[in-house]
Amino acid sequence: LDMLDLEAALQKLQGLDARQARIVELRFFGGLSNEEVAEILGVKPRFVADEWTMARVWLKRELSRGLGSSTDG
């Protein structure tokens, strides 16, 4: 996993859905559980779980597109 690609994808997600991007940051980089993220955001853990799933799918698709289209020179 290229961290620069991940950062670019996260910034794109931020523009589309700021809450999903925040959930990714807290789960992926912060290592927090759905329950911990839910407490921070003031939402239910099930909401976090659903958003986390959607964000992961979106990021996976976005990163796979980036890998196929990135060429040097």
Side-chain angles (χ1 to χ4, degrees), residues 6-65:
L6 178 58
E7 178 62 28
L10 267 176
Q11 287 194 7
K12 188 173 181 180
L13 180 59
Q14 174 73 28
L16 297 171
D17 191 318
R19 190 179 318 204
Q20 280 187 7
R22 182 69 174 139
I23 289 169
V24 170
E25 290 171 352
L26 293 169
R27 290 288 324 255
F28 187 80
F29 296 108
L32 301 179
S33 68
N34 287 341
E35 292 75 16
E36 292 167 324
V37 173
E39 188 173 324
I40 290 168
L41 298 180
V43 298
K44 295 184 180 199
R46 184 68 201 158
F47 176 82
V48 173
D50 291 344
E51 293 291 296
W52 171 238
T53 298
M54 288 188 292
R56 282 191 341 237
V57 168
W58 186 89
L59 284 169
K60 183 177 180 179
R61 186 178 64 230
E62 191 67 22
L63 290 170
S64 68
R65 285 181 185 166

